[in-house]
Amino acid sequence: MTNPNLQQRNARVLRWALAATAAAFAFGFALAPFYDVLCEKVFGIRPTQTASEATACAGGVVQDRELLVEFDTSISPELPWRLDAAKKSVKVRPCEPATVTFTATNDGRLTLTGRAIFTVAPAEAAIHLSKTECFCFTEQELEAGQSREMPVRFVIDDQLPADVSRLTFRYVFNPVAKPLAMTSAVSPPNS
Amino acid sequence: MAHDASTHHDDHDHKPHGFVNRWLYATNHKDIGTMYLVFSLVMFFLGGLMAMVIRGELMFPGLQLIEPEFFNQMTTMHALVMIFGAVMPAFVGLANWMIPMMVGAPDMALPRMNNWSFWIMPFAFTTLLLPLALKVFFDIGGGGPAGGWTLYPPLSLQGGDSVAFTIFAVHMMGISSIMGAINIIATILNMRAPGMDLLKMPVFVWSWLITAFLLIAVMPVLAGAVTMLLTDKFFGTTFFSATGGGDPVMFQHIFWFFGHPEVYIMILPAFGIVSEIIPTFSRKPLFGYKAMVYAIASIAFLSFIVWAHHMFTVGMPLGGELFFMYATMLIAVPTGIKVFNWVFTMWKGSMTFETPMLFALAFVILFSIGGFSGLMLAIVPADFQYHDTYFVVAHFHYVLVTGAIFSVMAAVYYWLPKWTGRMYNERLGKIHFWASAISVNVLFFPQHFLGLAGMPRRIPDYNVAFADWNLVSSLGGFAFGLTQLLFAYIVWDCSRNKSLAKATDQVWEGAHGLEWTLSSPPPYHSFTTPPVITDSMLAHGNVAH
Ligand code: HEM
Ligand SMILES: [Cu+2]
């Protein structure tokens, strides 16, 4: 049975299968860049979105439509901070600018830098939202015990799909620049 | 290839001497198959122990036995141990034992790689279990991973350093599975005896051929996903961290691109097993052999385009939700074909109900229940309610315990007399079956009610409204766990007890296929020269067209 022909054929399967394995491994990584492209081109959502320019709104504030905008905040466990919105929600009309104040407080013992990540639900609202001022545009450095009031100014355009009447803005503060494991300001929950 | 098993072919049954030579340097497919099966049984009990801890804590509302953090480690480790340690190695063990004997080959195509595939496993699981063991036995470190077997970031990265152990363990298991899969493909493509055409192969062999392709396609994707987790945690990349422009939802997409085919990796070989057993005990050939093969192939194909049904609630666009909903429901079609063909195989057959057949029948019925709850979960608006509740837990335990695990038990009872040359204790086998079949339903059926009533999964404490069914479920769980000790005893008894009845070569009156033409137990090296296949030796098709 140590048939050279058989050994050759087995080696061929082996080579071919290893190449397929390598291709599948590469494919896994390729999904990362593809992901953003697919989201934007196929579904028109930008996963890492920031505000778009509100090109619409030529007709001024839309009086007969009211939108409820709710605020949701949270802080990554690595950051001993608090983030509070002055109001839990506001009612706005399309094309009407609104301002809401957020307060961030550093309850820890060290000066730390954080950056807030913003998302809006439902996702299709993202391209109709424009923000002129937001603490999420820049990094925020807070000393121990310091707190800072930060206004967010936004406007939602009149092209927002008709079935969307309620939007949720979500802000999550994350520590900046350091990989999660190396942020030792507070120890991770289970170590 | 000095140690290639096939070079020994002129001194039959010459086993290597000594423990190290026989087992550590094993290249014989039967020995490696045995090691895989024993390993799987050990992991089954270890994972079972964790399940007992989980059910113990959930027996009553409130916290009584363990800390929530440890509870989370138990659910995470239970899943990882059962999926990668119990179910997958059991199927690979069965493949090792049976595929060469079923296609008339002397051994696996690449025996030395086969040795590697197995021996990586104990190292992988030592790595996986080490953080937990250090915590439990020596109170060192923070314990095992606790963020769920799906390892979703950011949660999975916020735990201790155990995540590094988990990731390396997953890498090792992946390498082992891929090497096993390559070996199986090479064996099936190159080592079949003359006359064993592809479309005459037993369905178990077919199911494994397709499973092996799935493994090669998706295990590397999982390896990629966990590698990205690793660099996110320790090297400052931000694949899944929004701070650097990454997206945690992307992990879920990549994970489930692996994850859904993975659940089929755990069920296709089960389909194969049941397709061997039901014809034998119905004394009729399998109904619709080709349809069965094509159904397996189409399930495997569809499994690549349904992954997002695990993440309907992440906020996908409506078009995406609809696509994944319909694609998921489409899988019910080939699955239905299989179930109907098993039923038609039994139709007007002269059926008998030995233990393997009982497990196979229970598989058909209970797996179908799991398929139905899967269909309910596939309906997007319904899934918004059911997602992350005990309903999902009930669903995947019906398909995995009464599906995959029951099929493995059916297979062990079916082929054990062939492996050992003795009939196992049939009376004990029947007791094991009935005790398992009843207790498993007491364990998992109430979890449907709990889920529909809104009980979330992965929590150590719950609203008192859920107390009654949790108590019932826990009692069923303890009964099921205890019953499995009987299984271990029956297997041990059959392999050791010389007073048991001798098995004939054919073992079961209605059994067909090459493995039944060998003696029981089969010679250490079987089919060293390819068998001359005659019609009666084939379960499907004739030699001459
Ligand atoms: C008719 C076929 C099936 C359908 C339609 C189906 C559908 C689904 C859906 C929609 C979910 C997601 C539920 C949620 O998280 O909200 C799910 C979860 C799951 N299914 Fe299935 N399924 C099927 C068969 C199977 C099979 C054969 C297996 C394994 C052998 C399986 C294993 C699982 C597992 C393990 C999960 C949970 C994963 C987790 O979140 O931890 N399913 N199934
Ligand atoms: Cu799935």
Side-chain angles (χ1 to χ4, degrees), chain B residues 149 256 263 309-310 328 374 377 383 387 395-396 399-400 457:
Chain B
W149 81 278
W256 288 115
V263 308
H309 65 215
H310 294 274
T328 302
L377 291 167
D383 185 67
H387 180 63
H395 159 67
F396 65 71
V399 284
L400 283 171
R457 63 190 281 208

Side-chain angles (χ1 to χ4, degrees), chain B residues 188-534:
Chain B
I188 298 174
L189 294 186
N190 295 342
M191 308 277 286
R192 278 170 291 125
M196 178 59 74
D197 303 343
L198 280 179
L199 274 174
K200 288 174 190 163
M201 295 194 311
V203 181
F204 177 67
V205 178
W206 257 113
S207 69
W208 245 117
L209 180 62
I210 293 167
T211 303
F213 280 106
L214 283 184
L215 277 168
I216 291 181
V218 300
M219 288 309 284
V221 176
L222 174 67
V226 296
T227 306
M228 289 186 245
L229 276 186
L230 189 77
T231 58
D232 267 15
K233 167 117 183 158
F234 296 101
F235 303 107
T237 58
T238 53
F239 286 107
F240 308 126
S241 164
T243 44
D247 188 342
V249 174
M250 185 177 76
F251 176 85
Q252 300 188 20
H253 281 289
I254 303 178
F255 180 87
W256 288 115
F257 185 84
F258 146 81
H260 189 81
E262 166 69 15
V263 308
Y264 282 98
I265 287 167
M266 294 191 285
I267 206 67
L268 295 185
F271 290 169
I273 290 165
V274 170
S275 305
E276 300 301 320
I277 293 176
I278 289 182
T280 295
F281 295 96
S282 306
R283 292 167 182 76
K284 271 178 64 194
L286 185 69
F287 184 92
Y289 167 78
K290 280 192 186 160
M292 288 302 231
V293 172
Y294 293 138
I296 296 179
S298 39
I299 291 175
F301 169 75
L302 288 174
S303 75
F304 285 106
I305 55 165
V306 298
W307 76 89
H309 65 215
H310 294 274
M311 31 190 304
F312 281 144
T313 57
V314 297
M316 257 186 292
L318 189 62
E321 307 259 44
L322 289 174
F323 172 81
F324 287 110
M325 172 165 92
Y326 292 131
T328 302
M329 293 180 145
L330 210 56
I331 297 196
V333 176
T335 312
I337 290 177
K338 304 199 69 72
V339 172
F340 284 123
N341 281 4
W342 290 323
V343 174
F344 286 137
T345 305
M346 291 184 261
W347 181 252
K348 294 194 172 166
S350 38
M351 289 167 65
T352 53
F353 300 94
E354 287 84 346
T355 311
M357 181 63 162
L358 288 175
F359 272 103
L361 289 177
F363 170 95
V364 175
I365 296 165
L366 298 176
F367 172 78
S368 298
I369 294 182
F372 284 132
S373 57
L375 274 176
M376 291 170 70
L377 291 167
I379 302 168
V380 174
D383 185 67
F384 271 65
Q385 290 291 316
Y386 306 153
H387 180 63
D388 267 351
T389 68
Y390 260 80
F391 193 82
V392 179
V393 177
H395 159 67
F396 65 71
H397 283 96
Y398 266 86
V399 284
L400 283 171
V401 179
T402 60
I405 304 250
F406 267 33
S407 82
V408 171
M409 286 175 173
V412 169
Y413 283 113
Y414 185 54
W415 283 311
L416 197 57
K418 172 58 59 188
W419 300 336
T420 64
R422 283 184 281 269
M423 294 307 285
Y424 60 87
N425 186 327
E426 181 65 42
R427 203 171 63 90
L428 287 184
K430 289 219 167 77
I431 295 175
H432 172 232
F433 168 76
W434 284 109
S436 297
I438 294 169
S439 59
V440 84
N441 282 292
V442 177
L443 163 58
F444 292 123
F445 210 82
Q447 297 185 359
H448 290 113
F449 310 146
L450 288 170
L452 294 180
M455 177 168 160
R457 63 190 281 208
R458 295 171 169 151
I459 47 143
D461 182 12
Y462 49 82
N463 191 304
V464 285
F466 305 126
D468 294 351
W469 285 122
N470 268 300
L471 180 60
V472 173
S473 178
S474 286
L475 293 176
F478 301 143
F480 184 74
L482 276 180
T483 306
Q484 303 322 311
L485 297 175
L486 181 60
F487 176 66
Y489 171 77
I490 296 170
V491 173
W492 181 82
D493 178 55
C494 185
S495 49
R496 290 273 161 243
N497 185 346
K498 299 212 163 45
S499 65
L500 291 170
K502 285 242 160 303
T504 61
D505 291 357
Q506 200 191 4
V507 182
W508 311 106
E509 184 192 54
H512 292 286
L514 290 185
E515 78 265 37
W516 308 109
T517 64
L518 293 165
S519 60
S520 303
Y524 194 61
H525 300 296
S526 41
F527 296 129
T528 44
T529 50
V532 178
I533 297 181
T534 59

Side-chain angles (χ1 to χ4, degrees), chain B residues 123-187:
Chain B
F123 292 95
F125 278 82
T126 308
T127 311
L128 181 71
L129 292 162
L130 197 62
L132 183 65
L134 285 178
K135 172 75 185 168
V136 171
F137 296 115
F138 306 105
D139 202 19
I140 298 174
W149 81 278
T150 51
L151 301 172
Y152 282 5
L155 185 63
S156 65
L157 298 182
Q158 289 164 356
D161 292 339
S162 65
V163 64
F165 287 79
T166 311
I167 289 169
F168 285 127
V170 168
H171 280 143
M172 285 194 267
M173 294 167 205
I175 292 171
S176 159
S177 301
I178 290 166
M179 293 201 300
I182 295 175
N183 221 330
I184 287 168
I185 294 176
T187 307

